[in-house]
Amino acid sequence: MGRFQITPLADACGAEISGVDIKALNEETFEAIRTTLAERGVIFFRDQSLTPEDHIAFARRWGGIDLNQYFPANGGHPEIAEVRKSESQTVNIGGGWHTDHSYDPIPAMGSILVARETPPEGGDTLFSNLAAAYDSLSTGLKGMLATLKAVHSADHIYGPDGVYAKTDQAADLKGQQLHASAVHPVIIRHPVTGRRILYVNPAFTLYFEGWTREESLSLLGYLYSVAMRPEFQCRLKWSPGSVAVWDNRLTWHFAMNDYHGHKRLMHRITLSGVPIH
């Protein structure tokens, strides 16, 4: 491939990396990629030719792998979860702002998503930088948020009475009987860069510890509205062979559901994280 190059996708978030073959990265290039991810939140590669074994090998260069308990696994590769929507389904996975695995006591560091089948149009993924969102807050609000913790859970999403149980994705998902919840600081520091990050999200954050759900919703809603501002976002346009790596601590993402009548199949590996504080 051509010369290694890093191109920002937007001012606050994302970078496209070109001129590399993921299967043949030397250590110097890999470390440059790792640094870019910590700084930009999500990195994007095009025109890669990865087998499932290549996908797993690339993931292991980042560290451990967390097995997803809810998504269907890919055949003989339990490390790879399938994120899929068929031609006949109307609901997609991830069709709202969220960060993966915030409901785990040690949240995932990130994910590596490989595009296998994509619709002719649509199916983009939006990302938002939650460190940039935090930086935009007032000094007074930052001070109050630094004293708070929030409760995160997956049960209302994946449980037997959860969001997906009422949709045409229900038959594809598993883990309905599992219980997953955790308490995390509302403001965390990125373990690599040290940047402060707003660590709540609309999908999995329920309420502030010691507050009622009703009391929490107003402030959470305001924080979500800040994090959704377009100036903090970037947008990935997929095609077969595209690969994205994102940092779950630093970003939210949103899978657009605008390709009804077409199939979309993505392979995801979740990367193990470290305790956050």
Side-chain angles (χ1 to χ4, degrees):
M1 302 185 76
R3 182 174 173 271
F4 172 52
Q5 185 173 357
I6 300 172
T7 305
L9 289 170
D11 289 343
C13 186
E16 182 169 335
I17 297 179
S18 57
V20 299
D21 181 351
I22 284 176
K23 300 189 297 294
L25 295 173
N26 62 38
E27 198 58 33
E28 181 182 5
T29 301
F30 180 74
E31 287 306 316
I33 289 170
R34 187 195 293 272
T35 298
T36 303
L37 178 66
E39 294 172 347
R40 302 295 300 173
V42 55
I43 53 178
F44 196 53
F45 308 82
R46 297 188 182 278
D47 303 320
Q48 301 293 314
S49 179
L50 300 183
T51 66
E53 291 78 12
D54 294 330
H55 188 181
I56 293 167
F58 182 50
R60 294 203 183 283
R61 293 192 72 170
W62 294 87
I65 292 174
D66 287 352
L67 299 186
N68 186 281
Q69 302 298 314
Y70 301 107
F71 297 172
N74 170 248
H77 302 91
E79 300 92 341
I80 298 175
E82 291 198 341
V83 182
R84 65 196 187 203
K85 180 188 174 192
S86 72
E87 297 89 340
S88 62
Q89 289 175 312
T90 59
V91 174
N92 72 334
I93 297 295
W97 285 110
H98 67 287
T99 188
D100 299 331
H101 290 250
S102 71
Y103 47 79
D104 287 340
I106 300 179
M109 169 265 179
S111 296
I112 303 175
L113 195 67
V114 176
R116 297 299 185 189
E117 297 182 54
T118 58
E121 298 288 341
D124 298 352
T125 304
L126 306 180
F127 287 82
S128 188
N129 184 326
L130 273 292
Y134 170 82
D135 290 343
S136 75
L137 301 176
S138 69
T139 301
L141 183 51
K142 288 175 181 176
M144 188 186 78
L145 295 175
T147 69
L148 298 179
K149 295 183 176 181
V151 176
H152 301 245
S153 177
D155 297 358
H156 62 291
I157 302 293
Y158 297 114
D161 297 317
V163 171
Y164 283 121
K166 304 175 178 67
T167 73
D168 56 12
Q169 284 282 349
D172 289 340
L173 298 178
K174 58 184 181 180
Q176 285 88 352
Q177 304 307 317
L178 297 175
H179 294 284
S181 64
V183 178
H184 300 299
V186 171
I187 306 301
I188 64 171
R189 280 190 177 271
H190 193 279
V192 177
T193 66
R195 288 188 73 182
R196 287 186 172 89
I197 299 167
L198 180 61
Y199 195 71
V200 291
N201 69 89
F204 300 120
T205 305
L206 296 180
Y207 54 87
F208 298 116
E209 189 176 50
W211 296 31
T212 66
R213 169 81 170 159
E214 183 179 19
E215 290 168 340
S216 302
L217 284 178
S218 180
L219 178 53
L220 284 172
Y222 173 73
L223 296 175
Y224 298 157
S225 72
V226 171
M228 292 176 194
R229 290 176 183 167
E231 60 262 34
F232 303 141
Q233 296 179 26
C234 68
R235 186 180 190 115
L236 302 189
K237 295 185 177 294
W238 299 91
S239 58
S242 298
V243 179
V245 186
W246 64 82
D247 188 316
N248 275 317
R249 290 82 52 100
L250 183 55
T251 61
W252 287 354
H253 56 282
F254 185 129
M256 302 296 290
N257 188 23
D258 54 357
Y259 52 96
H260 297 318
H262 298 282
K263 182 177 181 180
R264 184 177 184 269
L265 174 63
M266 318 293 273
H267 282 180
R268 194 183 91 181
I269 295 180
T270 303
L271 304 173
S272 302
V274 297
I276 58 173
H277 50 79

